[in-house]
Amino acid sequence: MRGMSMSVKSPLRLAAAAAVVTLAGAACSGESTSNATKGGGSELAAPGGTVTYRMAGAPDSLDPFKTVTGTTTPITYATYDTLVQYNPKTKAYIGVVAKSWEVTPSSIKFQLRSDVKCRDGSAFTPTDIAASLKAYTDPKTGSPYATRWLGKAPLTFTADDAGSTLTITAAEPFGALLAGLKMVPLVCPAGLKDRAKLASGAEGSGPYELADSKPGLSYTLKLRDDYTWGPSGMTSGAPGVPETIVLKVINSDATAANELLAGTIDVSGLGGVDAQRVQSNKSIAKTVVATQGQWSVVGNEAAGHVTADPEVRHALFQAIDRRALLLAYLGATASDVELGTSVLPPNMPGYDASTKELVPQFSPDAAKATLSAAGWTESGGHWTKDGKVLQVRVIGAGWGNANEYLASQLKNIGVDVKLSVTDDNGWLADLSSGNYDITIFPIDNSIEAPTGVMSFYVGALPPAGTNFIRNGDAELSALADKAAASVGAEADKLWATVQTKLLRNYDLLPWQVPVTSIYTSPKVTLQINGLPSTLAIRRTKG
Amino acid sequence: MAEEAAVVSRPTQQLSSRAGWSDIKARHPWLVFLLSRVARLVVVCALLLVGTFLMVRLMPGDPARRILGLQATPEAVELTRHRLGLDRSQFEQLWSYCRNALHLDFGESFSQGVPVRELIAERFPKTVELAAAATMVLLIVGFGVGTLMAVLTRDGRRPRLDATYGTSMGALSAVPDFVLAALFAVVFGLYLKWFPVAGDNGLSSLTLPTLAVAIPGIGFLSRVVRAEALDVLSQNYVRTARAKRLTSWRIYVRHVMPNAAYGGVTLAGVSFASLVGGTVVVEQVFNWPGMGSALTSAVVNRDYPVVQAGVLLLGATVVIVNTLVDVLLAIVDPGALREN
């Protein structure tokens, strides 16, 4: 499971859907910037009523220890609490079950709320919470995200029920532990005792209970009447909080748009032409939610590829008009999206705005000059060096017309391009095997910390790691490891250095910071404020 | 000498064997007929079983990586591959799949985590419901319009009507069902609000997907029926019936319809069988909870167990329906049984 609040299929992934599977579905780690362009200041209704929410795919599992796809998150984060959430807008963590915390590179001490209750009415104590976290780290559990969220080093949990504190100590420094903990759904003792219950129900302390499920079709959440400890004022009695949320699985964006316009669903993420169709209806509101992803263009740096030469990558990046590429991908909705300015997205800790100057600017003439300076000769419409023609294999997986446009921009400066556009599975296979020179690299919204983003650009190469660009700079990897083991200002400083080195070596061209566009019917508004999307739904009097 | 005798005796044995087989066929035509159909069914299912297994594995991409995403750690990918049984050899996977399939155990969906058997039990009846409704509409309208047009345009009568009919039916059969589905959803669902735009809320929800699936087939079927009916209408026994001044009703019901029934049963079976597997995109457009929409997602998600079981089921359905049609035809026309 990825951490995501916004359930729905990222609208900007268009038909490519999945393209990034991977990155797909995940969400905007809990809290996100919300900008209602229409219908924003509606008066809220009294708590109660029913809201129908579109899920873009069927959940793989309801069990938080097993689920791996972002499609489950609307259910998971409505029925299970986490220790903290993160607000990308303020770049600050907010407490859920935790009231406050003290962070060091190798430990976090949480002061917990004492009023948290499980679904069955029992108190959710620090000891219970420690047991839940331990269960994730237990190899027998087989949770696929345990090491990513909680680190590889053994953790020690010290719970003090009387003082309502929980201290987590890592055997080795792990700076992303707090970021990882915002993703971990806390399972109550009833679920730990009988894991089978988790496959068809939810044993958490979240505001909703899973009242009914028709696997692959629909899921019904019922509001608890005793939930008083939610973040950002999310309580059972808060104005507009729906009593029932029906999560309906609708795979097709076109069908979801029809249902939204017909009033049979109230909330849906949409992209492309279907988003434009819905936007033309004045009664439908749109909320643009910032995510923690960033799409870039990258080159394969493995030996034997022309893109192993930094100056070739530099020239290719100079040939790319990023804004035009965005239009080719998104069409009219491109205006919702900002261009990337560094390696990390702006709303992630460690982002360094000063690196903006290092991003190669679009200039076909400069690109040709860079190639000439690197010893390439242009003749007969081709670039050659030592008898070898400058030819690149561009791979992609849908993404509107972005791949085709990218290829055309490279051709414009005389590069021979072999374009291979498949589905996301084919693209992923090529990426993993290194069968490419240039590709768009879509990190959507599922990354919780800089370590996650950086793992694509430094560190172990595939298949041992996820350094898909095959960057063999050991020194840079060591620096990234040092940053990953740090916290606070020290970590920010180290991440800034890593970003600078990556951009100076033309390891990537930051392209765009994706957003999730959520459309709502007149009877609903979203109050994100750091909440997972299902918890941000409020009914209006309209 | 012995060899020579053997050579000489071989044709005699073959002759005797052929005579024996003919004898069995003559004595037990039904038994032979049913056995041959069951054998065909088994062979096709076996081919489908192995074919789908190989087919899904030829698709590029690793299901574990597909599920987990780019940022998954290698350990997580390996763990998931192990959980899904993908770390075993291809032969082991095939053997396990075939063995379990014989017990109607198709494993657990990679992407939904539920037993495929449960998923099929929930989804397949909805596809059958849609296909059956579409087949009924297709046959009633197709036969009705085809027969009516044959009567109205026989012997070169009403040439303008004939031309208009031919053109409109040709156009109708050329429109893909998904285009009709999208059009119907917008016009009758969204703007006119006569029917739900999507979902499964009873008969009203079934209407638009049924029409979207059936209409392209009506264009084709009605033209076939018209041609067949014109042929029957030109037969001597119909002329004789007319010469005897029998009523039109009696001519059509007693003489024309029974002769058209043979083709009707064949077309009904073929239509139903093709529609069971042909509703995929329409189900997606109307979010109809059938096998088609489940299969589409399964292919995208590289959900091997669902694709394997779904294709096997749809293929087996086609073969079973065709077998039933054969049996029905044999009952209607025992002469065909002897020819078989």
Side-chain angles (χ1 to χ4, degrees), chain A residues 162-218:
Chain A
S164 291
T165 63
L166 172 66
T167 304
I168 305 173
T169 308
E172 291 171 17
F174 180 48
L177 184 56
L178 187 62
L181 284 167
K182 81 183 183 214
M183 314 293 284
V184 183
L186 300 171
V187 180
C188 283
L192 295 179
K193 274 181 200 159
D194 184 2
R195 294 277 177 89
K197 275 185 176 179
L198 303 177
S200 55
E203 292 295 344
S205 59
Y208 285 90
E209 293 182 58
L210 183 62
D212 183 40
S213 67
K214 292 174 184 162
L217 299 175
S218 70

Short mmCIF file of all heavy atoms in Angstrom, two decimals, chain A residues 162-218:
data_model
loop_
_atom_site.label_atom_id
_atom_site.label_comp_id
_atom_site.label_asym_id
_atom_site.label_seq_id
_atom_site.Cartn_x
_atom_site.Cartn_y
_atom_site.Cartn_z
N ALA A 162 1.29 4.42 31.39
CA ALA A 162 0.92 5.41 32.41
C ALA A 162 1.24 6.82 31.93
O ALA A 162 0.45 7.75 32.11
CB ALA A 162 1.68 5.10 33.70
N GLY A 163 2.37 6.98 31.28
CA GLY A 163 2.77 8.31 30.81
C GLY A 163 2.32 8.59 29.39
O GLY A 163 2.59 9.67 28.85
N SER A 164 1.66 7.64 28.77
CA SER A 164 1.18 7.76 27.38
C SER A 164 2.33 8.14 26.43
O SER A 164 2.19 9.07 25.60
CB SER A 164 0.07 8.81 27.27
OG SER A 164 -1.08 8.34 27.90
N THR A 165 3.44 7.46 26.56
CA THR A 165 4.54 7.74 25.63
C THR A 165 4.96 6.45 24.91
O THR A 165 4.75 5.34 25.42
CB THR A 165 5.77 8.30 26.35
OG1 THR A 165 6.27 7.34 27.28
CG2 THR A 165 5.46 9.60 27.06
N LEU A 166 5.54 6.64 23.75
CA LEU A 166 6.09 5.52 22.99
C LEU A 166 7.41 6.01 22.38
O LEU A 166 7.44 7.03 21.69
CB LEU A 166 5.13 5.11 21.87
CG LEU A 166 5.68 4.08 20.88
CD1 LEU A 166 5.93 2.72 21.56
CD2 LEU A 166 4.72 3.89 19.71
N THR A 167 8.47 5.28 22.67
CA THR A 167 9.78 5.65 22.10
C THR A 167 10.21 4.56 21.14
O THR A 167 10.21 3.37 21.48
CB THR A 167 10.82 5.81 23.23
OG1 THR A 167 10.33 6.77 24.17
CG2 THR A 167 12.15 6.28 22.65
N ILE A 168 10.56 4.99 19.95
CA ILE A 168 11.03 4.03 18.93
C ILE A 168 12.51 4.34 18.68
O ILE A 168 12.87 5.47 18.33
CB ILE A 168 10.24 4.18 17.61
CG1 ILE A 168 8.74 4.04 17.89
CG2 ILE A 168 10.69 3.14 16.60
CD1 ILE A 168 7.87 4.34 16.69
N THR A 169 13.33 3.34 18.88
CA THR A 169 14.78 3.54 18.72
C THR A 169 15.28 2.60 17.62
O THR A 169 15.01 1.40 17.64
CB THR A 169 15.51 3.23 20.04
OG1 THR A 169 14.88 3.97 21.09
CG2 THR A 169 16.97 3.62 19.94
N ALA A 170 16.00 3.19 16.67
CA ALA A 170 16.57 2.39 15.58
C ALA A 170 18.02 2.03 15.89
O ALA A 170 18.76 2.85 16.45
CB ALA A 170 16.49 3.17 14.27
N ALA A 171 18.42 0.82 15.53
CA ALA A 171 19.80 0.39 15.79
C ALA A 171 20.80 1.21 14.98
O ALA A 171 21.94 1.37 15.37
CB ALA A 171 19.93 -1.09 15.46
N GLU A 172 20.35 1.74 13.86
CA GLU A 172 21.18 2.63 13.05
C GLU A 172 20.35 3.86 12.70
O GLU A 172 19.13 3.76 12.57
CB GLU A 172 21.59 1.94 11.74
CG GLU A 172 22.57 0.81 11.93
CD GLU A 172 22.78 0.03 10.64
OE1 GLU A 172 22.42 0.55 9.56
OE2 GLU A 172 23.26 -1.11 10.72
N PRO A 173 20.99 5.01 12.55
CA PRO A 173 20.21 6.23 12.25
C PRO A 173 19.36 6.06 10.98
O PRO A 173 19.81 5.50 9.99
CB PRO A 173 21.31 7.29 12.02
CG PRO A 173 22.49 6.79 12.76
CD PRO A 173 22.42 5.29 12.67
N PHE A 174 18.11 6.52 11.05
CA PHE A 174 17.18 6.45 9.90
C PHE A 174 16.34 7.72 9.91
O PHE A 174 15.34 7.82 10.60
CB PHE A 174 16.32 5.19 10.02
CG PHE A 174 15.33 5.03 8.87
CD1 PHE A 174 15.73 5.17 7.55
CD2 PHE A 174 14.00 4.73 9.12
CE1 PHE A 174 14.83 5.02 6.50
CE2 PHE A 174 13.08 4.58 8.09
CZ PHE A 174 13.51 4.73 6.77
N GLY A 175 16.78 8.70 9.14
CA GLY A 175 16.16 10.02 9.17
C GLY A 175 14.74 10.05 8.65
O GLY A 175 13.99 10.98 8.93
N ALA A 176 14.35 9.05 7.87
CA ALA A 176 13.01 9.06 7.26
C ALA A 176 11.98 8.31 8.11
O ALA A 176 10.88 8.01 7.62
CB ALA A 176 13.06 8.46 5.87
N LEU A 177 12.32 8.02 9.36
CA LEU A 177 11.41 7.20 10.18
C LEU A 177 10.06 7.91 10.41
O LEU A 177 9.01 7.28 10.28
CB LEU A 177 12.07 6.87 11.53
CG LEU A 177 11.27 5.95 12.45
CD1 LEU A 177 10.91 4.63 11.77
CD2 LEU A 177 12.04 5.67 13.75
N LEU A 178 10.11 9.20 10.71
CA LEU A 178 8.84 9.91 10.95
C LEU A 178 8.01 9.94 9.66
O LEU A 178 6.79 9.72 9.70
CB LEU A 178 9.11 11.33 11.44
CG LEU A 178 7.89 12.13 11.89
CD1 LEU A 178 7.20 11.46 13.08
CD2 LEU A 178 8.27 13.56 12.24
N ALA A 179 8.70 10.17 8.53
CA ALA A 179 7.99 10.16 7.24
C ALA A 179 7.39 8.79 6.97
O ALA A 179 6.28 8.68 6.44
CB ALA A 179 8.95 10.55 6.12
N GLY A 180 8.10 7.76 7.36
CA GLY A 180 7.58 6.41 7.14
C GLY A 180 6.40 6.11 8.05
O GLY A 180 5.42 5.48 7.63
N LEU A 181 6.47 6.60 9.28
CA LEU A 181 5.39 6.31 10.23
C LEU A 181 4.06 6.94 9.84
O LEU A 181 3.00 6.45 10.23
CB LEU A 181 5.81 6.79 11.63
CG LEU A 181 6.83 5.88 12.33
CD1 LEU A 181 7.42 6.59 13.55
CD2 LEU A 181 6.19 4.56 12.75
N LYS A 182 4.12 8.01 9.07
CA LYS A 182 2.84 8.61 8.63
C LYS A 182 2.09 7.68 7.69
O LYS A 182 0.91 7.85 7.43
CB LYS A 182 3.10 9.96 7.97
CG LYS A 182 3.53 9.85 6.52
CD LYS A 182 3.84 11.18 5.93
CE LYS A 182 4.18 10.99 4.46
NZ LYS A 182 5.17 11.88 3.97
N MET A 183 2.81 6.69 7.17
CA MET A 183 2.19 5.75 6.23
C MET A 183 1.63 4.50 6.92
O MET A 183 0.89 3.74 6.30
CB MET A 183 3.21 5.26 5.20
CG MET A 183 4.08 6.33 4.59
SD MET A 183 3.16 7.46 3.57
CE MET A 183 2.92 6.46 2.13
N VAL A 184 2.03 4.26 8.17
CA VAL A 184 1.75 2.96 8.80
C VAL A 184 0.38 2.95 9.48
O VAL A 184 0.21 3.60 10.53
CB VAL A 184 2.84 2.61 9.82
CG1 VAL A 184 2.58 1.23 10.42
CG2 VAL A 184 4.22 2.66 9.19
N PRO A 185 -0.59 2.22 8.95
CA PRO A 185 -1.89 2.12 9.62
C PRO A 185 -1.75 1.30 10.91
O PRO A 185 -1.15 0.22 10.88
CB PRO A 185 -2.76 1.37 8.61
CG PRO A 185 -1.99 1.36 7.33
CD PRO A 185 -0.56 1.45 7.71
N LEU A 186 -2.27 1.82 11.99
CA LEU A 186 -2.12 1.13 13.28
C LEU A 186 -3.28 0.15 13.49
O LEU A 186 -4.45 0.55 13.45
CB LEU A 186 -2.08 2.16 14.41
CG LEU A 186 -0.92 3.17 14.30
CD1 LEU A 186 -1.08 4.29 15.32
CD2 LEU A 186 0.43 2.48 14.45
N VAL A 187 -2.93 -1.09 13.73
CA VAL A 187 -3.93 -2.15 13.86
C VAL A 187 -4.21 -2.43 15.34
O VAL A 187 -3.27 -2.57 16.13
CB VAL A 187 -3.45 -3.45 13.16
CG1 VAL A 187 -4.48 -4.56 13.30
CG2 VAL A 187 -3.16 -3.17 11.69
N CYS A 188 -5.46 -2.49 15.70
CA CYS A 188 -5.85 -2.71 17.09
C CYS A 188 -5.63 -4.17 17.51
O CYS A 188 -5.49 -5.06 16.67
CB CYS A 188 -7.32 -2.34 17.27
SG CYS A 188 -7.57 -0.56 17.34
N PRO A 189 -5.59 -4.42 18.84
CA PRO A 189 -5.32 -5.78 19.33
C PRO A 189 -6.24 -6.84 18.73
O PRO A 189 -5.80 -7.96 18.48
CB PRO A 189 -5.54 -5.64 20.84
CG PRO A 189 -5.19 -4.22 21.13
CD PRO A 189 -5.67 -3.44 19.95
N ALA A 190 -7.51 -6.51 18.51
CA ALA A 190 -8.43 -7.51 17.96
C ALA A 190 -7.95 -8.01 16.60
O ALA A 190 -8.09 -9.20 16.27
CB ALA A 190 -9.83 -6.91 17.82
N GLY A 191 -7.36 -7.12 15.82
CA GLY A 191 -6.85 -7.50 14.51
C GLY A 191 -5.55 -8.26 14.60
O GLY A 191 -5.26 -9.12 13.76
N LEU A 192 -4.74 -7.94 15.61
CA LEU A 192 -3.47 -8.65 15.78
C LEU A 192 -3.72 -10.07 16.28
O LEU A 192 -2.99 -11.00 15.91
CB LEU A 192 -2.57 -7.91 16.78
CG LEU A 192 -2.09 -6.51 16.34
CD1 LEU A 192 -1.22 -5.89 17.43
CD2 LEU A 192 -1.31 -6.59 15.04
N LYS A 193 -4.75 -10.22 17.12
CA LYS A 193 -5.06 -11.55 17.65
C LYS A 193 -5.59 -12.47 16.55
O LYS A 193 -5.28 -13.64 16.50
CB LYS A 193 -6.12 -11.43 18.75
CG LYS A 193 -5.53 -11.16 20.12
CD LYS A 193 -6.65 -11.08 21.14
CE LYS A 193 -6.18 -10.33 22.39
NZ LYS A 193 -7.29 -9.80 23.16
N ASP A 194 -6.42 -11.92 15.71
CA ASP A 194 -7.04 -12.72 14.66
C ASP A 194 -6.84 -12.04 13.32
O ASP A 194 -7.66 -11.24 12.87
CB ASP A 194 -8.54 -12.88 14.97
CG ASP A 194 -9.23 -13.79 13.96
OD1 ASP A 194 -8.54 -14.30 13.06
OD2 ASP A 194 -10.46 -13.97 14.07
N ARG A 195 -5.71 -12.34 12.67
CA ARG A 195 -5.35 -11.66 11.42
C ARG A 195 -6.37 -11.92 10.32
O ARG A 195 -6.51 -11.12 9.40
CB ARG A 195 -3.97 -12.13 10.95
CG ARG A 195 -2.83 -11.75 11.85
CD ARG A 195 -2.36 -10.33 11.55
NE ARG A 195 -1.32 -9.95 12.47
CZ ARG A 195 -0.02 -10.17 12.25
NH1 ARG A 195 0.37 -10.73 11.14
NH2 ARG A 195 0.87 -9.80 13.14
N ALA A 196 -7.05 -13.05 10.41
CA ALA A 196 -8.03 -13.39 9.36
C ALA A 196 -9.12 -12.33 9.27
O ALA A 196 -9.68 -12.08 8.19
CB ALA A 196 -8.63 -14.76 9.62
N LYS A 197 -9.40 -11.69 10.41
CA LYS A 197 -10.44 -10.66 10.43
C LYS A 197 -10.11 -9.50 9.49
O LYS A 197 -10.99 -8.83 8.97
CB LYS A 197 -10.55 -10.07 11.84
CG LYS A 197 -11.42 -10.82 12.80
CD LYS A 197 -11.48 -10.02 14.09
CE LYS A 197 -12.42 -10.67 15.09
NZ LYS A 197 -12.46 -9.88 16.35
N LEU A 198 -8.80 -9.27 9.33
CA LEU A 198 -8.38 -8.09 8.56
C LEU A 198 -8.62 -8.24 7.06
O LEU A 198 -8.61 -7.26 6.33
CB LEU A 198 -6.88 -7.82 8.80
CG LEU A 198 -6.50 -7.61 10.27
CD1 LEU A 198 -4.99 -7.42 10.40
CD2 LEU A 198 -7.23 -6.40 10.86
N ALA A 199 -8.83 -9.46 6.61
CA ALA A 199 -9.04 -9.68 5.18
C ALA A 199 -10.40 -9.18 4.73
O ALA A 199 -10.58 -8.79 3.57
CB ALA A 199 -8.89 -11.16 4.85
N SER A 200 -11.36 -9.18 5.63
CA SER A 200 -12.70 -8.79 5.22
C SER A 200 -13.27 -7.64 6.06
O SER A 200 -14.37 -7.16 5.79
CB SER A 200 -13.65 -9.99 5.33
OG SER A 200 -13.61 -10.52 6.63
N GLY A 201 -12.53 -7.22 7.06
CA GLY A 201 -13.02 -6.13 7.91
C GLY A 201 -11.88 -5.20 8.27
O GLY A 201 -10.80 -5.28 7.70
N ALA A 202 -12.14 -4.30 9.21
CA ALA A 202 -11.10 -3.36 9.63
C ALA A 202 -11.10 -3.30 11.15
O ALA A 202 -12.15 -3.05 11.75
CB ALA A 202 -11.35 -2.00 9.03
N GLU A 203 -9.95 -3.52 11.76
CA GLU A 203 -9.83 -3.43 13.22
C GLU A 203 -8.88 -2.30 13.56
O GLU A 203 -7.72 -2.51 13.92
CB GLU A 203 -9.32 -4.77 13.78
CG GLU A 203 -10.30 -5.92 13.65
CD GLU A 203 -11.57 -5.73 14.48
OE1 GLU A 203 -11.58 -4.88 15.39
OE2 GLU A 203 -12.57 -6.41 14.18
N GLY A 204 -9.36 -1.08 13.38
CA GLY A 204 -8.53 0.08 13.65
C GLY A 204 -9.21 1.05 14.59
O GLY A 204 -10.24 0.74 15.19
N SER A 205 -8.61 2.24 14.70
CA SER A 205 -9.19 3.27 15.57
C SER A 205 -9.62 4.47 14.74
O SER A 205 -9.82 5.55 15.27
CB SER A 205 -8.17 3.69 16.61
OG SER A 205 -7.00 4.19 15.98
N GLY A 206 -9.73 4.30 13.42
CA GLY A 206 -10.11 5.40 12.54
C GLY A 206 -11.57 5.79 12.69
O GLY A 206 -12.34 5.10 13.37
N PRO A 207 -11.95 6.90 12.07
CA PRO A 207 -13.32 7.42 12.25
C PRO A 207 -14.42 6.58 11.61
O PRO A 207 -15.58 6.72 11.95
CB PRO A 207 -13.26 8.80 11.59
CG PRO A 207 -12.10 8.73 10.66
CD PRO A 207 -11.12 7.80 11.27
N TYR A 208 -14.05 5.71 10.68
CA TYR A 208 -15.07 4.91 10.00
C TYR A 208 -14.86 3.42 10.25
O TYR A 208 -13.75 2.96 10.51
CB TYR A 208 -15.03 5.18 8.49
CG TYR A 208 -15.64 6.51 8.11
CD1 TYR A 208 -14.84 7.66 8.06
CD2 TYR A 208 -16.99 6.64 7.84
CE1 TYR A 208 -15.39 8.90 7.74
CE2 TYR A 208 -17.54 7.87 7.52
CZ TYR A 208 -16.75 9.00 7.46
OH TYR A 208 -17.31 10.21 7.15
N GLU A 209 -15.97 2.69 10.16
CA GLU A 209 -15.93 1.23 10.20
C GLU A 209 -16.33 0.71 8.82
O GLU A 209 -17.14 1.33 8.13
CB GLU A 209 -16.94 0.68 11.22
CG GLU A 209 -16.59 1.02 12.65
CD GLU A 209 -17.60 0.42 13.62
OE1 GLU A 209 -17.75 -0.81 13.58
OE2 GLU A 209 -18.25 1.18 14.35
N LEU A 210 -15.75 -0.41 8.46
CA LEU A 210 -16.13 -1.02 7.19
C LEU A 210 -17.40 -1.83 7.42
O LEU A 210 -17.38 -2.89 8.03
CB LEU A 210 -15.00 -1.93 6.68
CG LEU A 210 -15.23 -2.59 5.32
CD1 LEU A 210 -15.39 -1.55 4.22
CD2 LEU A 210 -14.08 -3.53 4.99
N ALA A 211 -18.53 -1.28 6.95
CA ALA A 211 -19.82 -1.90 7.25
C ALA A 211 -20.18 -2.99 6.24
O ALA A 211 -20.88 -3.94 6.57
CB ALA A 211 -20.91 -0.83 7.26
N ASP A 212 -19.70 -2.83 5.01
CA ASP A 212 -20.09 -3.80 3.98
C ASP A 212 -19.07 -3.76 2.85
O ASP A 212 -18.47 -2.71 2.59
CB ASP A 212 -21.48 -3.43 3.43
CG ASP A 212 -21.98 -4.45 2.41
OD1 ASP A 212 -21.76 -5.65 2.63
OD2 ASP A 212 -22.54 -4.03 1.38
N SER A 213 -18.85 -4.89 2.25
CA SER A 213 -17.97 -4.87 1.08
C SER A 213 -18.43 -5.89 0.05
O SER A 213 -18.79 -7.02 0.39
CB SER A 213 -16.52 -5.14 1.48
OG SER A 213 -16.36 -6.44 1.96
N LYS A 214 -18.42 -5.45 -1.19
CA LYS A 214 -18.67 -6.34 -2.33
C LYS A 214 -17.37 -6.29 -3.13
O LYS A 214 -17.15 -5.34 -3.90
CB LYS A 214 -19.84 -5.85 -3.17
CG LYS A 214 -21.15 -5.95 -2.43
CD LYS A 214 -22.28 -5.34 -3.23
CE LYS A 214 -23.56 -5.37 -2.41
NZ LYS A 214 -24.57 -4.44 -2.90
N PRO A 215 -16.49 -7.28 -2.91
CA PRO A 215 -15.14 -7.20 -3.47
C PRO A 215 -15.11 -6.83 -4.94
O PRO A 215 -15.79 -7.43 -5.77
CB PRO A 215 -14.59 -8.62 -3.24
CG PRO A 215 -15.32 -9.11 -2.05
CD PRO A 215 -16.71 -8.53 -2.17
N GLY A 216 -14.32 -5.80 -5.22
CA GLY A 216 -14.16 -5.36 -6.60
C GLY A 216 -15.27 -4.48 -7.10
O GLY A 216 -15.17 -3.93 -8.20
N LEU A 217 -16.33 -4.30 -6.31
CA LEU A 217 -17.47 -3.51 -6.78
C LEU A 217 -17.74 -2.29 -5.90
O LEU A 217 -17.74 -1.16 -6.39
CB LEU A 217 -18.73 -4.39 -6.83
CG LEU A 217 -18.67 -5.59 -7.78
CD1 LEU A 217 -19.92 -6.44 -7.66
CD2 LEU A 217 -18.49 -5.13 -9.22
N SER A 218 -17.97 -2.52 -4.62
CA SER A 218 -18.24 -1.38 -3.73
C SER A 218 -17.92 -1.71 -2.28
O SER A 218 -17.93 -2.88 -1.89
CB SER A 218 -19.69 -0.92 -3.87
OG SER A 218 -20.55 -1.89 -3.31
#
